[in-house]
Amino acid sequence: MTTTTEHTYTYADLPGLMRLMTGDEKHGPAATSTLDALWVLYDRVLRVTPERADDPERDRFLLSKGHGPMAYYAILAAKGFVPVDWLEGFGAYDSPLGHHPDRVLVPGAEIGSGSLGHGLPLAVGTALGLKARGLTDPGVWVLVGDAELDEGSNHEAIAYAGPAGLERLHVLVIDNASASYARPGGIAARFEAAGWSAVTVDGRDHDALHAAYTAPHPGRPHVVVARVEPKDHTGEPKSA
């Protein structure tokens, strides 16, 4: 829960905040698939606030799945990183809230999201950079979509990070069954084969997400695979 000078925001407020953002390029399913996982991460796990946005000891969150950022923007607004009134201008020419987040325009954004497949390698580099600076406490988190794991850059990052023992690196995979080349045995098995700690959970269960995020994984990077409703060929979630 977050209190600003105008309102106290909870998870229940997020759909209303998301409805403030309109336009033809909303990528609604891409956003709603991440809503619960992002909220639990920002509300209960990440050690970062608007006041600590430049603190070297802050946790870092990198949004690699950047083409549906409305849930991300809604949560940044709920947590006080950006003004709520920015949301209504989403995607407009003069709005800082573009269809992909821009780190120089969006307070709290650690990277600019563009082509899929870049976030996990950037997170590996961030973890290595922090370690080189002697900053061993900050956690590095990156959210990717399951289809992003089709990209070779991610496979290289996974293969490197496990043997490197990047314990402060965490990957959150939103699995909505949209990958073209799904790996037999599931996403978690791919990470485990490279020496990662891995947990697969219901991506709508807040307590399960929190338990997965905070599970101990000494000496190893950690991946949480959050399963949500699958998408059909139109890109819309399938009905239950």
Side-chain angles (χ1 to χ4, degrees):
M1 179 162 33
T2 299
T3 301
T4 70
T5 56
E6 298 178 352
H7 191 74
T8 298
Y9 291 97
T10 69
Y11 173 79
D13 293 301
L14 297 181
L17 292 174
M18 290 180 66
R19 283 193 294 271
L20 296 175
M21 292 173 275
T22 59
D24 294 333
E25 297 294 329
K26 286 179 61 175
H27 290 283
T32 55
S33 67
T34 69
L35 185 63
D36 297 86
L38 274 175
W39 175 256
V40 174
L41 193 61
Y42 268 89
D43 193 54
R44 300 171 62 179
V45 178
L46 285 180
R47 297 172 305 159
V48 61
T49 63
E51 296 75 26
R52 294 188 62 195
D54 296 319
D55 185 347
E57 294 289 344
R58 73 189 183 280
D59 288 343
R60 272 72 167 175
F61 172 76
L62 285 62
L63 181 69
S64 186
K65 183 182 167 72
H67 59 291
M70 289 103 64
Y72 182 51
Y73 290 155
I75 289 168
L76 288 179
K79 292 298 179 182
F81 288 90
V82 303
V84 170
D85 59 12
W86 281 14
L87 299 178
E88 294 185 13
F90 166 70
Y93 175 77
D94 58 351
S95 172
L97 303 184
H99 294 133
H100 288 260
D102 185 330
R103 71 177 183 86
V104 302
L105 298 177
V106 182
E110 296 282 356
I111 62 170
S113 300
S115 298
L116 295 176
H118 293 335
L120 179 48
L122 286 170
V124 170
T126 300
L128 288 170
L130 291 170
K131 186 176 180 180
R133 293 167 59 193
L135 297 171
T136 58
D137 197 36
V140 179
W141 291 79
V142 57
L143 186 151
V144 306
D146 62 322
E148 283 192 79
L149 297 181
D150 291 343
E151 301 288 344
S153 56
N154 281 322
H155 291 283
E156 294 176 2
I158 294 166
Y160 175 84
L166 297 181
E167 182 177 341
R168 301 304 292 153
L169 175 64
H170 310 78
V171 175
L172 169 58
V173 181
I174 302 298
D175 180 9
N176 59 4
S178 61
S180 300
Y181 306 102
R183 177 171 292 271
I187 295 170
R190 168 67 185 92
F191 283 84
E192 289 175 324
W196 288 60
S197 166
V199 180
T200 301
V201 298
D202 179 348
R204 302 302 186 191
D205 185 328
H206 290 198
D207 289 337
L209 285 164
H210 181 257
Y213 292 161
T214 56
H217 50 96
R220 296 190 291 169
H222 185 55
V223 61
V224 176
V225 181
R227 288 180 172 168
V228 296
E229 306 79 13
K231 294 200 306 184
D232 63 22
H233 68 281
T234 67
E236 297 295 332
K238 295 178 181 177
S239 60

